[in-house]
Amino acid sequence: MGLSDIQNAMAKAATSAGRSVDDVTLIAVSKVQPNERVEAVLAAGHRVFGENRVQEAAGKWPEFKEKYDGVELHLIGPLQSNKVRAALELFDVIHTVDSEKLARRIASIGAEIDRTPRVFVQVNTGDEDQKAGVPLDGVDALVAECRDLGLPVEGLMCIPPVNEEPSLHFALLAKIAARNNLTGLSMGMSGDFERAIALGATHVRIGSAIFGDRVKA
Ligand SMILES: *Cc1c(COP(=O)(O)O)cnc(C)c1O
C-alpha cells in the first residue's frame, strides 16, 4: 500500500457509490511516523495531513510547512483546554470538539489570535464509557452551541467501537449530520474507508495504509 494505492481505492469506492472522489478529502495521518515517510508523501504532492497530538505535531510541522506550500493540518485526537492555543496556531481543522466548554475556549482563543479553525463535532456513536466524543443525545445541542459561538461547523466525526461493524456507526453519523444540516462526515480509517465512502464520508483519515505500520517510539 501507499499513497497512490489509497487514492485509487478511494476513487473506486466513490465510483461504486455513485459519488465523485473529489468530494472525499484524504487526510494522511502522519502521527508517530518517521519524518522521511512524511516527507515522501509531501514530495509526492499531498498536502492534507492529520495528527492526534498537539505537542508531537508542533515538533515537526512548522518545519514542513516552511518547506512545502499549502499544507492543511487536521487535529484528529483529543484536545485539552491548555493546548487550545497551541492547537489553533498550528491546525486548520479540529475534528474533536466534544463539549461546550471546549467549543467556547476554541471560539475565544480563536478570536483573540484571529485564527478560527473549521471544526467537526466528535460523536461517541457507540456510547462507550472511555471514548471521547459527545454522547448521542447531546449532539444537536453542541452543534447549535458551536454555531452560536460563530465556529464554522463543517460536520461530524466518529471512531466506531473496535469490535463492531463500522458501517452501522457511519450510517448513524450520516443520519445525525443530515438532521443538523451538516454535510461534512469525518469517518473511515485504513481498515474501513471504503465502507465509509459508500456511506457518505467527506473526510477519510488514513495512516498505516499510506505510511506503513506506525513506528513506536
Ligand atoms: C490514528 C488514527 C487514524 C488512522 O488510523 P489508521 O488505522 O492507521 O488508518 C484515524 N483516525 C484517528 C482518530 C486516529 O487516531
Side-chain angles (χ1 to χ4, degrees):
M1 291 278 219
L3 180 65
S4 58
D5 298 312
I6 293 299
Q7 286 166 331
N8 291 337
M10 285 176 62
K12 214 165 147 187
T15 303
S16 319
R19 305 182 58 202
S20 165
V21 76
D22 296 340
D23 296 331
V24 189
T25 299
L26 169 58
I27 301 171
V29 179
S30 49
K31 66 183 184 202
V32 214
Q33 294 289 352
N35 283 352
E36 322 70 272
R37 291 188 190 168
V38 181
E39 187 136 22
V41 171
L42 279 162
H46 195 74
R47 289 295 179 268
V48 184
F49 290 83
E51 289 280 346
N52 71 336
R53 289 161 147 267
V54 176
Q55 213 165 333
E56 182 191 337
K60 59 181 157 182
W61 280 101
E63 210 170 313
F64 284 145
K65 278 185 171 185
E66 232 165 71
K67 201 160 161 194
Y68 296 92
D69 278 339
V71 168
E72 182 177 285
L73 272 191
H74 293 243
L75 179 65
I76 61 170
L79 178 55
Q80 294 164 326
S81 282
N82 62 345
K83 301 259 171 68
V84 169
R85 189 177 300 270
L88 297 196
E89 281 163 359
L90 193 60
F91 290 94
D92 303 288
V93 189
I94 293 178
H95 289 241
T96 48
V97 176
D98 64 356
S99 73
E100 294 198 0
K101 180 172 170 252
L102 179 59
R104 281 196 296 267
R105 188 147 175 92
I106 291 171
S108 73
I109 294 183
E112 195 188 307
I113 66 173
D114 198 21
R115 258 187 78 87
T116 298
R118 291 141 61 197
V119 303
F120 285 76
V121 166
Q122 182 176 357
V123 182
N124 184 357
T125 55
D127 265 328
E128 294 174 280
D129 283 344
Q130 313 242 325
K131 193 86 149 233
V134 63
L136 286 167
D137 62 6
V139 183
D140 298 3
L142 182 53
V143 169
E145 173 75 11
C146 288
R147 286 174 167 151
D148 285 349
L149 289 165
L151 291 178
V153 191
E154 203 156 292
L156 304 179
M157 177 271 214
C158 76
I159 306 170
V162 267
N163 291 318
E164 289 182 28
E165 169 51 47
S167 293
L168 301 174
H169 295 269
F170 298 155
L172 176 60
L173 197 72
K175 191 173 134 194
I176 302 170
R179 122 182 139 213
N180 282 283
N181 292 314
L182 290 168
T183 50
L185 289 170
S186 168
M187 56 191 200
M189 312 186 0
S190 290
D192 55 22
F193 68 91
E194 283 131 320
R195 279 170 284 176
I197 290 171
L199 290 164
T202 59
H203 293 71
V204 291
R205 311 177 307 262
I206 303 181
S208 42
I210 294 175
F211 295 102
D213 287 337
R214 281 183 276 281
V215 179
K216 292 269 176 278

